[in-house]
Amino acid sequence: MSKQDFADTFDAFEVHVVLSKGKFAFAFDKEERVRERKTANMSKQDFADTFDAFEVHVVLSKGKFAFAFDKVEKSDTGYAVTISNEELELNYVEVYTGELTEEEAAKVPAFFEEEGVTDLPGNVFCTKEKHADAAFRELRLCISDGLDREGPTKEQFTDILAQSLISCTAPDFSKASDYEVYHFLLSLFDLSVFENDPIAAAFVEKLKGRVKALTADVTVAEIPATDALPSGAANAVRDIRLKATGPAGSSLLQLTPASNGCFFAKL
């Protein structure tokens, strides 16, 4: 198998370079962590001013990815809004068109100090989201909750997962951006170890305790790493895998440190 084909065998995340054909993957993240520390206490306006190549008008979240409004057209349900990335960090153009209701669209011009929806083309916002569809979803969250919105805390994410196990339904991350979910999943693991992860173990006990505090009718147990998982689950080097059984039925919840690192299935 070629190295490129081997890289494609990783399902939980994208592998860009194969040094040797092994199951262990590592990411360069020091630069981004340094950037986050430097900008943590910076106002959003000051953060917008850190972009030199072009003007950023609104900061959804303090990230290095910027997107511009290309087109805003009336649609049957409201407005079709097309955005594309500025090419500062990416070497390709990604275009996405999403729908806003008339009520949602009416709130956006004020963010950019514009008079109407059709004045939005040319305006630029920045975000921690790398991809245009995720950036658009964060825009909708800001429309709903305001530009000063804060994503769910770790405690709130824990409650979301507990409710998922109790109700035998997929976790409801609708009030969180893709980046916020990803950042939460990363926080559940010690990425310096592959076995006997103390951070993951502590979180599992915390989650079990939260479920127990909410109901005595649901039992949560870890699934051994040797057990096969349903189709669609990630083939991950490290994960948290839990089975919940209660009045609503049985379910599997698998968590991995990846952008698509939450898998749920009814059993």
Side-chain angles (χ1 to χ4, degrees):
M1 184 184 293
S2 70
K3 284 191 173 183
Q4 182 56 57
D5 288 342
F6 186 82
D8 293 338
T9 64
F10 288 80
D11 297 323
F13 44 79
E14 184 177 4
V15 170
H16 305 95
V17 174
V18 176
L19 301 184
S20 56
K21 296 176 183 177
K23 64 180 181 180
F24 305 112
F26 297 87
F28 292 100
D29 62 354
K30 182 178 179 181
E31 180 181 347
E32 186 62 21
R33 291 185 181 184
V34 169
R35 180 186 176 92
E36 287 192 2
R37 285 197 297 269
K38 286 183 177 179
T39 61
N41 298 319
M42 187 180 290
S43 71
K44 283 192 171 182
Q45 183 55 57
D46 288 342
F47 185 86
D49 293 338
T50 64
F51 289 81
D52 297 325
F54 46 81
E55 183 176 3
V56 169
H57 304 97
V58 169
V59 177
L60 302 188
S61 53
K62 295 176 186 176
K64 63 183 179 180
F65 302 105
F67 295 84
F69 289 92
D70 291 338
K71 290 190 300 182
V72 178
E73 299 176 319
K74 196 74 177 68
S75 68
D76 293 338
T77 58
Y79 288 90
V81 179
T82 300
I83 62 172
S84 63
N85 65 291
E86 297 289 342
E87 295 184 74
L88 179 65
E89 292 291 342
L90 303 178
N91 58 4
Y92 60 90
V93 175
E94 186 176 290
V95 179
Y96 178 79
T97 300
E99 286 282 333
L100 294 180
T101 66
E102 290 197 18
E103 183 180 0
E104 288 175 322
K107 297 179 180 179
V108 181
F111 293 172
F112 297 88
E113 299 181 351
E114 297 287 3
E115 293 185 3
V117 179
T118 55
D119 298 321
L120 289 173
N123 281 285
V124 177
F125 62 88
C126 71
T127 169
K128 292 180 179 179
E129 301 292 355
K130 180 177 181 178
H131 296 292
D133 58 343
F136 188 82
R137 206 167 78 80
E138 186 178 9
L139 175 64
R140 294 193 69 182
L141 287 171
C142 289
I143 293 170
S144 172
D145 302 332
L147 286 174
D148 58 350
R149 68 170 290 277
E150 295 182 0
T153 63
K154 192 168 184 176
E155 293 298 323
Q156 290 169 328
F157 272 121
T158 303
D159 277 347
I160 290 170
L161 295 182
Q163 291 294 344
S164 168
L165 294 171
I166 292 169
S167 62
C168 199
T169 56
D172 180 8
F173 294 134
S174 60
K175 301 301 286 185
S177 70
D178 288 13
Y179 179 87
E180 289 160 355
V181 175
Y182 173 52
H183 192 268
F184 165 68
L185 294 171
L186 278 181
S187 75
L188 304 183
F189 299 88
D190 181 347
L191 299 182
S192 67
V193 300
F194 291 97
E195 296 179 343
N196 303 317
D197 185 332
I199 295 177
F203 178 75
V204 167
E205 292 306 310
K206 180 178 181 179
L207 181 56
K208 286 181 180 179
R210 185 60 183 145
V211 171
K212 188 175 181 179
L214 294 171
T215 178
D217 298 329
V218 175
T219 59
V220 180
E222 292 184 71
I223 300 175
T226 54
D227 287 11
L229 297 179
S231 175
N235 180 19
V237 174
R238 54 167 67 82
D239 63 3
I240 292 170
R241 45 176 74 185
L242 302 170
K243 179 181 178 181
T245 305
S250 296
S251 63
L252 162 75
L253 182 66
Q254 182 195 31
L255 306 173
T256 62
S259 57
N260 59 341
C262 182
F263 173 78
F264 169 87
K266 289 185 177 181
L267 301 176

